[in-house]
Amino acid sequence: MRMDKHGKKTEIVKAIIALAKSLGMLTIAEGVETQEQLDQIRELECEFCQGYLFSRPVEAKAARDILIKGFPQF
């Protein structure tokens, strides 16, 4: 779900994150492409993110190398 800035969709995402936390689950935001989106996700206290902001899709070996070397800090 694409979030708009502090609109109805953001409220839905907040509710989903709250539900996951109440069930003892971790949350992962998918499709994070911009720093602005990452900032929004951080504000909502989502534990993990994935998307083009971090890396384009890569083969398994390249993913392994990224995980070993670590991601740049955002």
Side-chain angles (χ1 to χ4, degrees):
M1 167 180 304
R2 292 234 180 247
M3 292 190 319
D4 48 350
K5 225 175 187 175
H6 308 295
K8 196 174 211 176
K9 292 179 183 177
T10 300
E11 292 303 315
I12 293 169
V13 173
K14 280 183 187 178
I16 292 168
I17 291 171
L19 176 61
K21 288 180 185 251
S22 74
L23 295 171
M25 301 171 77
L26 298 175
T27 53
I28 302 172
E30 296 181 346
V32 178
E33 297 178 0
T34 66
Q35 184 64 46
E36 181 181 11
Q37 290 172 335
L38 179 60
D39 293 342
Q40 283 182 289
I41 293 300
R42 283 181 169 165
E43 283 182 30
L44 298 175
E45 299 180 10
C46 181
E47 288 89 3
F48 300 99
C49 300
Q50 68 180 43
Y52 283 111
L53 178 63
F54 306 103
S55 174
R56 299 269 181 207
V58 296
E59 297 292 327
K61 183 184 180 317
R64 179 184 170 275
D65 292 344
I66 290 171
L67 292 172
I68 290 170
K69 293 176 186 173
F71 286 100
Q73 296 299 312
F74 289 91

